[in-house]
């Protein structure tokens, strides 16, 4: 899996997101926050890059580890972001 991810990055098949001096892929941001590996990439696909950045910025200010999320609740709703 790591090899596939690395090849995708090298081939330019991923979206790089730069915020607060950090430049990472959606999967890397998800790993950074210790949330599901596809949360950020799914947010990009469903709601666009700007909304995903808004979510990441909210998570940087108030990490997901400090939040309670119900099974049927999205991270957008946890952070009060209109998706």
């Amino acid at each position: 899996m790591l090899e596939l991810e690395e090849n995708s990055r090298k081939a330019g098949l991923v979206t790089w997101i730069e915020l607060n001096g950090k430049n990472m892929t959606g999967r890397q941001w998800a790993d950074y926050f210790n949330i599901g590996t596809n949360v950020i990439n799914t947010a990009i696909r469903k709601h666009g890059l700007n909304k995903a950045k808004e979510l990441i910025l909210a998570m940087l200010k108030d990490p997901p580890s400090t939040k309670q999320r119900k099974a049927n609740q999205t991270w957008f709703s946890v952070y009060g972001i209109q998706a």
Side-chain angles (χ1 to χ4, degrees):
M1 183 67 174
L2 264 169
E3 185 177 322
L4 177 62
E5 182 181 346
E6 184 66 25
N7 288 341
S8 294
R9 276 190 247 144
K10 288 179 181 175
L13 301 174
V14 298
T15 301
W16 290 93
I17 306 164
E18 185 173 358
L19 292 167
N20 289 9
K22 296 180 187 332
N23 191 27
M24 296 189 273
T25 66
R27 179 171 287 212
Q28 289 170 328
W29 279 108
D31 289 345
Y32 179 81
F33 292 119
N34 198 29
I35 57 176
T37 58
N38 290 315
V39 170
I40 303 300
N41 287 332
T42 299
I44 293 169
R45 279 192 305 281
K46 285 186 173 183
H47 307 290
L49 183 58
N50 288 335
K51 281 292 180 183
K53 285 182 175 182
E54 188 177 343
L55 178 61
I56 293 168
L57 286 171
M59 289 178 167
L60 284 169
K61 289 179 186 171
D62 192 8
S65 60
T66 66
K67 299 288 188 182
Q68 291 290 325
R69 186 177 71 95
K70 296 176 184 168
N72 62 343
Q73 193 176 25
T74 69
W75 283 109
F76 283 102
S77 64
V78 169
Y79 283 95
I81 299 170
Q82 193 123 29

Coordinates of all heavy atoms in Angstrom, one line a residue:
M1 N 0.8 -1.2 0.0 CA 0.0 0.0 0.0 C 0.9 1.3 0.0 O 0.6 2.2 -0.7 CB -0.9 0.0 1.2 CG -1.9 1.1 1.3 SD -3.0 1.0 -0.1 CE -4.1 2.4 0.3
L2 N 1.9 1.3 0.8 CA 2.8 2.4 0.8 C 3.4 2.7 -0.5 O 3.5 3.8 -0.9 CB 3.9 2.2 1.9 CG 3.6 2.8 3.2 CD1 4.6 2.4 4.3 CD2 3.5 4.3 3.2
E3 N 3.8 1.6 -1.2 CA 4.4 1.8 -2.5 C 3.4 2.4 -3.5 O 3.8 3.3 -4.3 CB 4.9 0.4 -3.1 CG 5.6 0.6 -4.4 CD 6.2 -0.8 -4.8 OE1 6.6 -1.5 -4.0 OE2 6.2 -1.0 -6.0
L4 N 2.2 2.0 -3.5 CA 1.1 2.5 -4.4 C 0.9 4.0 -4.1 O 0.8 4.9 -4.9 CB -0.2 1.8 -4.2 CG -1.4 2.3 -5.0 CD1 -1.1 2.2 -6.5 CD2 -2.6 1.5 -4.7
E5 N 0.8 4.3 -2.8 CA 0.7 5.7 -2.4 C 1.8 6.6 -2.8 O 1.6 7.7 -3.3 CB 0.5 5.8 -0.8 CG 0.3 7.2 -0.3 CD 0.1 7.3 1.2 OE1 0.0 6.2 1.8 OE2 0.2 8.4 1.7
E6 N 3.0 6.1 -2.6 CA 4.2 6.8 -3.1 C 4.2 7.0 -4.6 O 4.5 8.1 -5.1 CB 5.5 6.1 -2.6 CG 6.8 6.8 -2.9 CD 6.9 8.1 -2.1 OE1 6.4 8.2 -1.0 OE2 7.7 9.0 -2.6
N7 N 3.9 6.0 -5.3 CA 3.8 6.1 -6.8 C 2.8 7.1 -7.2 O 3.0 7.9 -8.2 CB 3.5 4.7 -7.4 CG 4.7 3.8 -7.3 OD1 5.8 4.2 -7.1 ND2 4.4 2.5 -7.5
S8 N 1.7 7.2 -6.5 CA 0.6 8.1 -6.9 C 1.1 9.5 -6.6 O 0.8 10.4 -7.4 CB -0.6 7.8 -6.0 OG -1.2 6.6 -6.4
R9 N 1.8 9.7 -5.5 CA 2.3 11.1 -5.2 C 3.3 11.5 -6.3 O 3.3 12.6 -6.8 CB 3.0 11.1 -3.8 CG 2.0 11.3 -2.7 CD 2.7 11.6 -1.4 NE 2.5 10.4 -0.6 CZ 3.3 9.9 0.3 NH1 4.5 10.3 0.4 NH2 2.9 8.9 1.0
K10 N 4.2 10.6 -6.6 CA 5.2 10.9 -7.6 C 4.6 11.2 -9.0 O 5.1 12.0 -9.8 CB 6.2 9.8 -7.7 CG 7.2 9.7 -6.6 CD 8.2 8.6 -6.7 CE 9.1 8.5 -5.5 NZ 9.9 7.3 -5.5
A11 N 3.5 10.5 -9.3 CA 2.9 10.7 -10.6 C 2.0 11.9 -10.7 O 1.4 12.2 -11.7 CB 2.1 9.4 -11.0
G12 N 1.8 12.6 -9.5 CA 1.0 13.7 -9.5 C -0.5 13.4 -9.5 O -1.3 14.3 -9.9
L13 N -0.9 12.3 -9.0 CA -2.3 11.8 -9.0 C -3.0 12.2 -7.7 O -4.1 11.8 -7.5 CB -2.4 10.3 -9.2 CG -1.8 9.8 -10.5 CD1 -1.8 8.3 -10.6 CD2 -2.6 10.4 -11.7
V14 N -2.4 12.9 -6.8 CA -3.0 13.3 -5.6 C -3.1 14.8 -5.5 O -2.4 15.5 -6.2 CB -2.2 12.8 -4.3 CG1 -2.1 11.3 -4.3 CG2 -0.8 13.4 -4.4
T15 N -4.0 15.2 -4.6 CA -4.2 16.7 -4.3 C -3.3 17.0 -3.1 O -3.4 16.4 -2.0 CB -5.6 17.0 -4.0 OG1 -6.4 16.6 -5.1 CG2 -5.8 18.4 -3.7
W16 N -2.4 18.0 -3.3 CA -1.6 18.5 -2.2 C -2.3 19.7 -1.6 O -2.9 20.5 -2.3 CB -0.2 18.9 -2.7 CG 0.6 17.8 -3.1 CD1 0.7 17.2 -4.4 CD2 1.4 17.0 -2.3 NE1 1.5 16.1 -4.4 CE2 2.0 15.9 -3.1 CE3 1.7 17.0 -1.0 CZ2 2.8 15.0 -2.6 CZ3 2.6 16.0 -0.5 CH2 3.1 15.0 -1.3
I17 N -2.3 19.7 -0.3 CA -3.0 20.7 0.5 C -2.0 21.4 1.4 O -1.5 20.8 2.3 CB -4.2 20.1 1.3 CG1 -5.1 19.3 0.4 CG2 -5.0 21.2 2.0 CD1 -6.0 18.4 1.2
E18 N -1.8 22.7 1.1 CA -0.9 23.5 2.0 C -1.6 24.4 2.9 O -2.3 25.3 2.4 CB 0.1 24.2 1.1 CG 1.2 24.9 1.9 CD 2.3 25.6 1.0 OE1 2.2 25.4 -0.2 OE2 3.2 26.2 1.6
L19 N -1.4 24.2 4.2 CA -2.0 25.1 5.2 C -1.1 25.2 6.3 O -0.4 24.3 6.8 CB -3.3 24.5 5.7 CG -4.5 24.4 4.7 CD1 -5.6 23.5 5.2 CD2 -5.0 25.8 4.4
N20 N -1.0 26.4 6.8 CA -0.1 26.7 8.0 C 1.3 26.2 7.9 O 1.8 25.6 8.8 CB -0.8 26.2 9.3 CG -2.0 27.0 9.7 OD1 -2.5 27.8 9.0 ND2 -2.5 26.7 10.9
G21 N 1.8 26.3 6.7 CA 3.2 25.9 6.5 C 3.4 24.4 6.3 O 4.5 23.9 6.2
K22 N 2.3 23.6 6.3 CA 2.4 22.2 6.1 C 1.8 21.8 4.7 O 0.7 22.3 4.4 CB 1.6 21.4 7.2 CG 2.2 21.6 8.6 CD 1.3 20.8 9.5 CE 1.6 20.9 11.0 NZ 2.9 21.3 11.4
N23 N 2.5 21.0 3.9 CA 2.0 20.6 2.6 C 1.9 19.1 2.6 O 2.9 18.4 2.6 CB 3.0 21.1 1.5 CG 2.5 21.0 0.1 OD1 1.2 20.9 -0.1 ND2 3.3 20.8 -0.8
M24 N 0.7 18.6 2.6 CA 0.5 17.2 2.7 C -0.7 16.8 1.8 O -1.5 17.6 1.4 CB 0.1 16.8 4.2 CG 1.2 17.0 5.1 SD 0.9 16.3 6.8 CE 0.0 17.6 7.6
T25 N -0.8 15.5 1.5 CA -1.9 14.9 0.8 C -3.1 14.8 1.7 O -2.9 14.9 3.0 CB -1.6 13.5 0.2 OG1 -1.4 12.6 1.3 CG2 -0.3 13.6 -0.7
G26 N -4.3 14.5 1.2 CA -5.4 14.3 2.0 C -5.2 13.2 3.0 O -5.6 13.3 4.2
R27 N -4.6 12.1 2.5 CA -4.4 10.9 3.4 C -3.4 11.3 4.5 O -3.6 10.9 5.7 CB -3.8 9.8 2.6 CG -3.5 8.6 3.4 CD -3.2 7.4 2.6 NE -4.5 7.0 2.0 CZ -4.8 5.7 1.7 NH1 -3.9 4.8 1.9 NH2 -5.9 5.4 1.2
Q28 N -2.4 12.1 4.2 CA -1.4 12.5 5.2 C -2.1 13.4 6.3 O -1.8 13.3 7.4 CB -0.2 13.2 4.5 CG 0.7 12.2 3.8 CD 1.7 13.0 2.9 OE1 1.5 14.1 2.5 NE2 2.9 12.3 2.8
W29 N -3.0 14.3 5.8 CA -3.7 15.1 6.8 C -4.5 14.3 7.7 O -4.6 14.5 8.9 CB -4.6 16.2 6.1 CG -3.8 17.4 5.6 CD1 -3.5 17.8 4.3 CD2 -3.3 18.4 6.5 NE1 -2.8 18.9 4.3 CE2 -2.6 19.4 5.6 CE3 -3.2 18.6 7.8 CZ2 -2.0 20.5 6.1 CZ3 -2.6 19.8 8.3 CH2 -2.0 20.7 7.5
A30 N -5.2 13.3 7.1 CA -6.0 12.4 7.9 C -5.2 11.6 8.9 O -5.5 11.5 10.1 CB -6.8 11.4 7.0
D31 N -4.0 11.2 8.5 CA -3.1 10.5 9.4 C -2.6 11.5 10.5 O -2.5 11.1 11.7 CB -1.9 9.9 8.7 CG -2.2 8.7 7.8 OD1 -3.3 8.1 8.0 OD2 -1.4 8.4 6.9
Y32 N -2.4 12.7 10.1 CA -1.9 13.7 11.1 C -2.9 13.9 12.2 O -2.5 14.1 13.4 CB -1.7 15.0 10.3 CG -1.2 16.2 11.1 CD1 0.1 16.3 11.5 CD2 -2.1 17.2 11.6 CE1 0.5 17.4 12.3 CE2 -1.7 18.2 12.3 CZ -0.4 18.4 12.7 OH 0.0 19.4 13.4
F33 N -4.2 13.9 11.8 CA -5.3 14.0 12.8 C -5.8 12.7 13.4 O -6.6 12.7 14.3 CB -6.5 14.8 12.2 CG -6.2 16.2 11.8 CD1 -6.3 16.6 10.5 CD2 -5.8 17.1 12.8 CE1 -6.1 17.9 10.1 CE2 -5.6 18.4 12.4 CZ -5.7 18.8 11.1
N34 N -5.2 11.6 13.0 CA -5.6 10.3 13.5 C -7.1 10.0 13.2 O -7.8 9.6 14.1 CB -5.2 10.1 14.9 CG -5.2 8.7 15.3 OD1 -4.9 7.8 14.5 ND2 -5.4 8.4 16.6
I35 N -7.5 10.4 12.0 CA -8.9 10.1 11.6 C -8.9 9.1 10.5 O -7.8 8.8 10.0 CB -9.7 11.4 11.3 CG1 -9.0 12.2 10.2 CG2 -9.9 12.3 12.5 CD1 -9.7 13.4 9.7
G36 N -10.0 8.7 10.0 CA -10.1 7.8 8.9 C -9.3 8.2 7.7 O -9.3 9.4 7.3
T37 N -8.6 7.3 7.0 CA -7.6 7.7 6.0 C -8.3 8.4 4.8 O -7.6 9.0 4.0 CB -6.8 6.5 5.5 OG1 -7.7 5.5 5.0 CG2 -6.0 5.9 6.6
N38 N -9.6 8.2 4.6 CA -10.2 8.8 3.4 C -11.1 10.0 3.7 O -11.8 10.5 2.9 CB -11.1 7.7 2.7 CG -10.2 6.7 2.0 OD1 -9.2 7.1 1.4 ND2 -10.5 5.5 2.1
V39 N -11.1 10.4 5.0 CA -12.0 11.5 5.4 C -11.7 12.8 4.6 O -12.6 13.4 4.0 CB -11.9 11.8 6.9 CG1 -12.6 13.1 7.3 CG2 -12.4 10.7 7.7
I40 N -10.5 13.2 4.5 CA -10.2 14.4 3.8 C -10.4 14.3 2.3 O -11.0 15.2 1.6 CB -8.7 14.9 4.1 CG1 -8.5 15.1 5.6 CG2 -8.4 16.2 3.3 CD1 -9.4 16.1 6.3
N41 N -9.9 13.2 1.7 CA -10.1 13.0 0.2 C -11.6 12.9 -0.1 O -12.0 13.4 -1.2 CB -9.4 11.8 -0.2 CG -7.9 12.0 -0.3 OD1 -7.4 13.1 -0.4 ND2 -7.1 10.9 -0.1
T42 N -12.4 12.3 0.7 CA -13.8 12.2 0.5 C -14.4 13.6 0.6 O -15.3 14.0 -0.2 CB -14.5 11.3 1.5 OG1 -14.0 10.0 1.3 CG2 -16.0 11.2 1.3
A43 N -14.0 14.4 1.5 CA -14.5 15.8 1.7 C -14.1 16.6 0.4 O -15.0 17.4 -0.1 CB -13.8 16.4 2.9
I44 N -12.9 16.4 -0.2 CA -12.6 17.1 -1.4 C -13.5 16.7 -2.5 O -14.0 17.5 -3.3 CB -11.1 16.8 -1.8 CG1 -10.2 17.4 -0.7 CG2 -10.8 17.3 -3.2 CD1 -8.7 16.9 -0.9
R45 N -13.7 15.4 -2.7 CA -14.6 14.9 -3.8 C -16.0 15.4 -3.6 O -16.6 15.8 -4.6 CB -14.5 13.4 -3.8 CG -13.3 12.8 -4.5 CD -13.5 11.3 -4.9 NE -13.8 10.5 -3.7 CZ -12.9 10.1 -2.8 NH1 -11.7 10.4 -2.9 NH2 -13.3 9.3 -1.8
K46 N -16.6 15.3 -2.4 CA -18.0 15.6 -2.2 C -18.2 17.1 -2.1 O -19.3 17.6 -2.6 CB -18.5 15.0 -0.9 CG -18.7 13.5 -1.1 CD -19.4 13.0 0.2 CE -19.8 11.5 0.0 NZ -20.5 11.0 1.2
H47 N -17.3 17.9 -1.5 CA -17.6 19.3 -1.2 C -16.6 20.3 -1.8 O -16.8 21.5 -1.6 CB -17.6 19.5 0.3 CG -18.6 18.5 1.0 ND1 -20.0 18.6 0.8 CD2 -18.4 17.4 1.7 CE1 -20.5 17.6 1.5 NE2 -19.6 16.9 2.1
G48 N -15.5 19.8 -2.4 CA -14.5 20.7 -3.0 C -13.3 21.0 -2.1 O -13.4 20.8 -0.9
L49 N -12.3 21.4 -2.7 CA -11.0 21.7 -2.0 C -11.2 22.8 -0.9 O -10.6 22.6 0.2 CB -9.9 22.0 -3.0 CG -8.5 22.2 -2.4 CD1 -8.1 21.0 -1.7 CD2 -7.5 22.6 -3.5
N50 N -11.9 23.8 -1.2 CA -12.0 24.9 -0.3 C -12.7 24.5 1.0 O -12.3 24.9 2.1 CB -12.7 26.1 -0.9 CG -11.8 26.8 -1.9 OD1 -10.6 26.8 -1.8 ND2 -12.4 27.5 -2.8
K51 N -13.8 23.7 0.9 CA -14.4 23.2 2.1 C -13.6 22.2 2.9 O -13.6 22.2 4.1 CB -15.8 22.5 1.7 CG -16.9 23.4 1.4 CD -17.3 24.1 2.7 CE -18.4 25.1 2.4 NZ -18.8 25.8 3.6
A52 N -12.8 21.4 2.1 CA -11.9 20.5 2.8 C -10.8 21.3 3.6 O -10.5 20.9 4.7 CB -11.2 19.5 1.8
K53 N -10.3 22.4 3.0 CA -9.3 23.2 3.7 C -10.0 23.9 4.9 O -9.3 24.0 6.0 CB -8.8 24.3 2.7 CG -7.8 23.8 1.7 CD -7.3 25.0 0.9 CE -6.3 24.5 -0.1 NZ -5.8 25.7 -0.9
E54 N -11.2 24.3 4.8 CA -11.9 24.8 5.9 C -12.0 23.8 7.1 O -11.8 24.2 8.3 CB -13.3 25.3 5.5 CG -14.1 26.1 6.5 CD -15.5 26.5 6.0 OE1 -15.7 26.5 4.8 OE2 -16.3 26.9 6.9
L55 N -12.3 22.6 6.7 CA -12.3 21.5 7.7 C -11.0 21.3 8.4 O -10.9 21.2 9.6 CB -12.9 20.2 7.1 CG -12.9 19.0 8.0 CD1 -13.9 19.3 9.2 CD2 -13.4 17.8 7.2
I56 N -9.9 21.3 7.6 CA -8.6 21.0 8.1 C -8.2 22.2 9.0 O -7.6 22.0 10.1 CB -7.6 20.9 7.0 CG1 -7.8 19.6 6.2 CG2 -6.1 20.9 7.5 CD1 -7.1 19.5 4.9
L57 N -8.5 23.4 8.6 CA -8.2 24.6 9.5 C -8.9 24.5 10.8 O -8.3 24.8 11.9 CB -8.5 25.9 8.8 CG -7.6 26.3 7.7 CD1 -8.1 27.5 6.9 CD2 -6.2 26.6 8.2
A58 N -10.2 24.1 10.8 CA -10.9 23.9 12.0 C -10.3 22.8 12.9 O -10.2 23.0 14.1 CB -12.4 23.5 11.7
M59 N -9.8 21.7 12.3 CA -9.2 20.7 13.0 C -7.8 21.1 13.6 O -7.4 20.6 14.6 CB -9.0 19.4 12.1 CG -10.3 18.7 11.8 SD -10.0 17.3 10.7 CE -11.6 16.5 10.9
L60 N -7.1 22.0 12.9 CA -5.9 22.5 13.4 C -6.1 23.3 14.7 O -5.3 23.3 15.6 CB -5.1 23.3 12.3 CG -4.5 22.5 11.2 CD1 -4.0 23.4 10.1 CD2 -3.3 21.7 11.8
K61 N -7.2 24.1 14.7 CA -7.5 24.9 15.8 C -8.0 24.1 17.0 O -7.7 24.4 18.2 CB -8.6 26.0 15.5 CG -8.0 27.0 14.5 CD -9.1 28.0 14.2 CE -8.6 29.0 13.1 NZ -9.7 29.8 12.6
D62 N -8.8 23.1 16.7 CA -9.4 22.3 17.7 C -9.4 20.8 17.3 O -10.2 20.4 16.6 CB -10.9 22.7 17.9 CG -11.5 22.2 19.2 OD1 -10.8 21.5 20.0 OD2 -12.7 22.4 19.3
P63 N -8.3 20.1 17.6 CA -8.1 18.7 17.1 C -9.3 17.8 17.3 O -10.0 17.9 18.3 CB -6.9 18.2 17.9 CG -6.2 19.5 18.4 CD -7.3 20.5 18.6
P64 N -9.5 16.9 16.4 CA -10.5 15.9 16.4 C -10.5 15.1 17.7 O -11.5 14.6 18.2 CB -10.3 15.0 15.2 CG -9.5 15.8 14.3 CD -8.7 16.7 15.1
S65 N -9.3 14.9 18.3 CA -9.2 14.1 19.5 C -10.0 14.7 20.7 O -10.3 14.0 21.7 CB -7.8 13.9 19.9 OG -7.1 15.1 20.1
T66 N -10.3 16.0 20.6 CA -11.0 16.7 21.6 C -12.5 16.7 21.4 O -13.3 17.2 22.2 CB -10.6 18.1 21.8 OG1 -10.9 18.9 20.6 CG2 -9.1 18.2 22.0
K67 N -12.9 16.1 20.3 CA -14.4 16.1 19.9 C -15.0 14.8 20.0 O -14.4 13.7 20.0 CB -14.5 16.5 18.4 CG -13.9 17.9 18.0 CD -14.8 18.9 18.6 CE -14.4 20.3 18.1 NZ -15.2 21.3 18.7
Q68 N -16.3 14.8 20.2 CA -17.1 13.6 20.2 C -17.9 13.5 18.9 O -18.7 14.5 18.6 CB -18.1 13.6 21.4 CG -17.4 13.5 22.8 CD -16.8 12.1 23.0 OE1 -17.4 11.1 22.6 NE2 -15.7 12.0 23.6
R69 N -17.8 12.5 18.1 CA -18.5 12.3 16.9 C -19.4 11.1 17.0 O -18.9 10.0 17.3 CB -17.6 12.2 15.7 CG -18.3 12.2 14.4 CD -17.2 12.2 13.2 NE -16.6 11.0 13.1 CZ -16.9 10.0 12.3 NH1 -18.0 10.1 11.5 NH2 -16.2 8.9 12.3
K70 N -20.7 11.3 16.7 CA -21.6 10.2 16.6 C -21.4 9.4 15.3 O -20.9 10.0 14.3 CB -23.0 10.6 16.8 CG -23.3 11.3 18.1 CD -24.7 11.9 18.2 CE -24.8 12.6 19.5 NZ -26.0 13.4 19.6
A71 N -21.8 8.2 15.3 CA -21.7 7.3 14.1 C -22.2 7.9 12.9 O -21.7 7.7 11.8 CB -22.2 5.9 14.4
N72 N -23.4 8.6 12.9 CA -24.0 9.1 11.8 C -23.7 10.6 11.5 O -24.3 11.2 10.7 CB -25.5 8.9 11.9 CG -26.1 9.7 13.0 OD1 -25.4 10.1 13.9 ND2 -27.4 9.9 13.0
Q73 N -22.7 11.1 12.2 CA -22.4 12.5 12.1 C -21.1 12.7 11.3 O -20.2 11.9 11.4 CB -22.2 13.0 13.6 CG -22.1 14.5 13.7 CD -22.0 14.9 15.1 OE1 -21.5 14.2 16.0 NE2 -22.4 16.1 15.4
T74 N -21.1 13.7 10.4 CA -19.9 14.0 9.7 C -19.0 14.9 10.4 O -19.4 15.6 11.4 CB -20.3 14.7 8.3 OG1 -20.8 16.0 8.6 CG2 -21.3 13.9 7.5
W75 N -17.8 15.0 10.0 CA -16.8 15.9 10.7 C -17.2 17.3 10.4 O -17.0 18.2 11.2 CB -15.4 15.6 10.2 CG -14.8 14.4 10.9 CD1 -14.5 13.2 10.3 CD2 -14.4 14.3 12.2 NE1 -14.0 12.4 11.2 CE2 -13.9 13.0 12.4 CE3 -14.5 15.2 13.3 CZ2 -13.5 12.6 13.7 CZ3 -14.0 14.7 14.6 CH2 -13.5 13.4 14.7
F76 N -17.9 17.6 9.2 CA -18.3 19.0 9.0 C -19.3 19.4 10.0 O -19.3 20.5 10.5 CB -19.0 19.0 7.6 CG -18.0 19.1 6.5 CD1 -17.7 17.9 5.7 CD2 -17.3 20.2 6.2 CE1 -16.8 18.0 4.7 CE2 -16.4 20.3 5.1 CZ -16.1 19.2 4.4
S77 N -20.3 18.5 10.4 CA -21.3 18.9 11.4 C -20.7 19.0 12.8 O -21.1 19.8 13.5 CB -22.5 17.9 11.4 OG -22.1 16.6 11.7
V78 N -19.7 18.2 13.1 CA -19.0 18.3 14.4 C -18.4 19.7 14.5 O -18.5 20.3 15.6 CB -17.9 17.2 14.5 CG1 -17.0 17.5 15.7 CG2 -18.5 15.8 14.6
Y79 N -17.8 20.2 13.5 CA -17.2 21.5 13.5 C -18.1 22.6 13.1 O -17.6 23.8 13.0 CB -15.9 21.5 12.6 CG -14.8 20.8 13.3 CD1 -14.5 19.4 13.0 CD2 -13.9 21.4 14.2 CE1 -13.5 18.7 13.7 CE2 -12.9 20.7 14.8 CZ -12.7 19.4 14.6 OH -11.7 18.7 15.2
G80 N -19.4 22.4 12.9 CA -20.3 23.4 12.5 C -20.1 24.1 11.2 O -20.3 25.2 11.0
I81 N -19.5 23.3 10.3 CA -19.2 23.8 8.9 C -20.4 23.3 8.0 O -20.7 22.2 7.9 CB -17.9 23.3 8.4 CG1 -16.8 23.7 9.3 CG2 -17.7 23.7 6.9 CD1 -15.4 23.1 9.0
Q82 N -20.9 24.3 7.3 CA -22.0 24.0 6.3 C -21.4 23.4 5.1 O -20.6 24.0 4.4 CB -22.8 25.2 6.0 CG -24.1 24.9 5.2 CD -25.2 25.5 6.0 OE1 -25.1 26.5 6.6 NE2 -26.4 24.9 5.8
A83 N -21.7 22.1 4.8 CA -21.1 21.5 3.6 C -22.0 21.6 2.4 O -23.1 22.0 2.4 CB -20.9 20.0 3.9

